């Protein structure tokens, strides 16, 4: 429905009209189906869900309750703030905070019933001190097996193993975990090396359930499953059987498309041979052309690297992005369409015609970055 402006002209743009310039449609049923697929692959092993970075940009507040309904009882977030926001939405679930227990975070972690992933002896000491005064606190122990990013390094692991009675006083380890660096490359020797280091670490620590694999690692082999796998990006539609950042190649994606990005056409323009399109005139037309300008740009999170490389789909027919992606606009060459789109028509940038993996590959990045950057785009949810 158009909303009339005070001047009497139709005011089609803005939050009060029906014109939504761009839209990210999140298919909650697809996310739940993807979670169930992981349950099937994981067999008897439990499946947690990683919902950090606002559910990889798709909205943790909507995604997490749907996953809980699908049977997920363990969630991972990165930040304390993410855990605090998630707590009332999944009141019965375990929420593991990957950043861990910086001393200043300890009171809030306890207040909101959040379980830290302890990454160092210093974090263990801070949590142990609180645990000793409160009758014991659950924790996840994170050992670094080669990522060299977070988690107990080998020397700290040795100290913890030797002094575990003292160091873990007041701490109840509910999980021992590590993270794979190259899980999207099945033949990479790093996977087997990390698996072996993880087994060694488990033998040194008090008995507890174990977790090594995320989306891609789960697909390597059951050897990597242990007691809990913790997929993130695959739940949101990325293909866990292909290296990240590489689009569709051969076998179909086992995961369903969970995020559909669309934008409206704002204007059509017929231009002559030799004219250029967009900033810096990076694209010159080699024939008289029809250019459609759509309401999406890098301020919405669409990578600027899609300039002259991206594609869009109009009624399932692909058209190329021409010229530079600008802050709020993208230009498409729609000359080959028998029926060019009209202002207000919808164009797909990612979804059923153009996979998340393809967008990532064209942009020269990975699926994670594509999803988490789409912050300005209003989201709608399909149950
Ligand atoms: C420690 C840890 N576990 C699990 C995940 C989920 O990984 P993915 O999204 O590849 O499944 C991440 C993501 O970065 C992570 O950092």
């Amino acid at each position: 429905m158009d909303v009339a402006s005070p001047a009497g002209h139709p005011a089609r743009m803005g939050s009060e009209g029906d014109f939504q310039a761009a839209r990210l449609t999140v298919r909650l049923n697809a996310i739940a189906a993807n979670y169930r697929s992981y349950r099937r692959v994981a067999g008897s092993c439990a499946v947690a869900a990683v919902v950090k970075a606002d559910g990889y940009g798709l909205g943790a507040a909507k995604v997490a309750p749907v996953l809980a309904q699908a049977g997920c009882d363990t969630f991972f977030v990165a930040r304390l703030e993410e855990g605090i926001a998630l707590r009332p939405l999944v009141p019965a679930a375990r929420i593991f905070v990957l950043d861990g227990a910086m001393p200043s975070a300890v009171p809030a972690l306890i207040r909101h019933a959040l379980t830290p992933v302890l990454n160092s002896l210093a974090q263990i000491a801070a949590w142990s001190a609180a645990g000793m005064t409160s009758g014991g606190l659950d924790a996840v122990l994170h050992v670094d097996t080669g990522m060299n990013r977070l988690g107990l390094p080998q020397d700290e692991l040795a100290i913890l193993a030797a002094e575990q009675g003292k160091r873990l006083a007041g701490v109840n380890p509910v999980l021992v975990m590590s993270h794979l660096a190259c899980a999207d490359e099945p033949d990479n020797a790093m996977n087997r090396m990390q698996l072996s280091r993880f087994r060694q670490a488990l033998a040194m620590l008090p008995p507890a359930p174990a977790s090594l694999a995320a989306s891609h690692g789960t697909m390597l082999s059951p050897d990597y499953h242990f007691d809990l796998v913790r997929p993130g990006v695959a739940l949101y539609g990325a293909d866990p059987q292909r290296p990240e950042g590489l689009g569709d190649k051969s076998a179909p994606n086992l995961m369903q498309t969970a995020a559909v990005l669309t934008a409206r056409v704002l204007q059509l323009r017929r231009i002559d041979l030799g004219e250029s399109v967009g900033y810096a005139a990076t694209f010159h037309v080699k024939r008289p052309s029809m250019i459609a300008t759509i309401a999406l740009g890098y301020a919405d999170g669409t990578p600027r690297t899609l300039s002259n490389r991206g594609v869009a789909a109009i009624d399932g027919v692909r058209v190329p992005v021409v010229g530079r992606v600008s802050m709020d606009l993208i230009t498409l060459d729609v000359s080959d369409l028998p029926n060019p789109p009209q202002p207000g028509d919808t164009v797909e940038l990612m979804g059923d015609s153009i996979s998340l993996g393809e967008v990532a590959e064209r942009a020269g990045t990975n699926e994670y970055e594509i999803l988490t950057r789409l912050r300005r785009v209003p989201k709608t949810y399909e149950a």
Side-chain angles (χ1 to χ4, degrees), residues 50 52 56 98 149 177 179 214-215 230-233 368:
V50 180
K52 61 196 173 95
Y56 287 48
L98 290 163
R149 192 180 65 162
M177 64 167 268
H179 194 45
S215 294
R230 25 173 234 279
V233 77
Y368 307 69

Side-chain angles (χ1 to χ4, degrees), residues 38 50 52 56 76 98 117 142 147 149-150 177-180 211-217 230-236 244 368:
Y38 262 81
V50 180
K52 61 196 173 95
Y56 287 48
F76 282 83
L98 290 163
V117 175
H142 183 184
M147 181 76 108
R149 192 180 65 162
L150 277 184
M177 64 167 268
S178 191
H179 194 45
L180 295 169
S211 175
L212 179 61
S215 294
H216 296 84
R230 25 173 234 279
V233 77
L235 302 178
Y236 310 111
E244 63 172 52
Y368 307 69

Side-chain angles (χ1 to χ4, degrees), residues 156-236:
E156 294 202 3
L157 171 65
I159 294 170
L160 181 64
E163 303 174 359
Q164 48 186 277
K166 184 178 90 184
R167 299 261 179 184
L168 291 175
V171 176
N172 172 33
V174 293
L175 190 73
V176 177
M177 64 167 268
S178 191
H179 194 45
L180 295 169
C182 305
D184 63 332
E185 299 167 29
D187 297 332
N188 196 311
M190 185 96 181
N191 294 320
R192 287 182 302 284
M193 189 272 280
Q194 287 195 266
L195 177 62
S196 154
R197 283 187 183 171
F198 188 53
R199 287 190 174 132
Q200 286 165 21
L202 291 178
M204 295 164 72
L205 291 171
S211 175
L212 179 61
S215 294
H216 296 84
T218 306
M219 301 295 167
L220 289 175
S221 93
D223 286 350
Y224 290 81
H225 289 181
F226 293 90
D227 302 293
L228 177 96
V229 294
R230 25 173 234 279
V233 77
L235 302 178
Y236 310 111

Side-chain angles (χ1 to χ4, degrees), residues 47-372:
V47 181
V50 180
V51 296
K52 61 196 173 95
D54 197 25
Y56 287 48
L58 302 189
K62 294 279 190 189
V63 165
V66 165
L67 288 167
Q69 248 177 1
C72 182
D73 64 4
T74 303
F75 293 88
F76 282 83
V77 294
R79 305 274 181 263
L80 170 65
E81 296 83 348
E82 294 174 345
I84 293 172
L86 190 60
R87 174 43 77 214
L89 302 168
V90 287
R94 301 190 297 180
I95 300 176
F96 295 158
V97 180
L98 290 163
D99 280 356
M102 303 297 285
S104 59
V106 168
L109 286 164
I110 296 172
R111 207 165 39 247
H112 296 276
L114 304 172
T115 305
V117 175
L118 301 175
N119 292 305
S120 64
L121 288 179
Q123 290 196 353
I124 291 173
W127 199 240
S128 167
M132 282 194 289
T133 59
S134 65
L137 289 169
D138 288 353
V140 177
L141 301 179
H142 183 184
V143 295
D144 186 355
T145 52
M147 181 76 108
N148 290 315
R149 192 180 65 162
L150 277 184
L152 289 158
Q154 297 291 309
D155 57 337
E156 294 202 3
L157 171 65
I159 294 170
L160 181 64
E163 303 174 359
Q164 48 186 277
K166 184 178 90 184
R167 299 261 179 184
L168 291 175
V171 176
N172 172 33
V174 293
L175 190 73
V176 177
M177 64 167 268
S178 191
H179 194 45
L180 295 169
C182 305
D184 63 332
E185 299 167 29
D187 297 332
N188 196 311
M190 185 96 181
N191 294 320
R192 287 182 302 284
M193 189 272 280
Q194 287 195 266
L195 177 62
S196 154
R197 283 187 183 171
F198 188 53
R199 287 190 174 132
Q200 286 165 21
L202 291 178
M204 295 164 72
L205 291 171
S211 175
L212 179 61
S215 294
H216 296 84
T218 306
M219 301 295 167
L220 289 175
S221 93
D223 286 350
Y224 290 81
H225 289 181
F226 293 90
D227 302 293
L228 177 96
V229 294
R230 25 173 234 279
V233 77
L235 302 178
Y236 310 111
D239 188 340
Q241 293 186 288
R242 232 174 288 292
E244 63 172 52
L246 287 187
D248 292 347
K249 287 291 181 291
S250 50
N253 185 356
L254 296 174
M255 299 295 117
Q256 296 185 17
T257 297
V260 178
L261 177 64
T262 54
R264 302 284 200 114
V265 174
L266 292 174
Q267 201 172 18
L268 272 293
R269 163 92 75 262
R270 203 177 282 284
I271 59 174
D272 290 333
L273 172 74
E275 287 284 315
S276 65
V277 181
Y279 282 120
T282 61
F283 182 82
H284 285 81
V285 298
K286 298 182 182 62
R287 56 179 177 172
S289 299
M290 181 77 92
I291 302 297
T293 301
I294 62 170
L296 191 77
Y298 60 74
D300 297 292
T302 315
R304 195 163 168 269
T305 48
L306 289 175
S307 302
N308 291 309
R309 290 179 54 85
V311 285
I314 299 174
D315 294 329
V317 181
R318 287 165 167 249
V319 292
V321 170
V322 292
R324 286 227 175 126
V325 171
S326 49
M327 185 182 288
D328 313 295
L329 302 169
I330 292 174
T331 34
L332 307 173
D333 184 347
V334 296
S335 313
D336 288 333
L337 295 181
N339 300 310
Q342 298 302 306
D345 284 357
T346 296
V347 172
E348 179 194 304
L349 278 299
M350 177 176 84
D352 295 318
S353 298
I354 303 155
S355 72
L356 170 59
E358 181 177 352
V359 178
E361 184 173 14
R362 286 181 179 277
T365 181
N366 64 14
E367 292 82 347
Y368 307 69
E369 192 177 5
I370 295 293
L371 290 177
T372 55

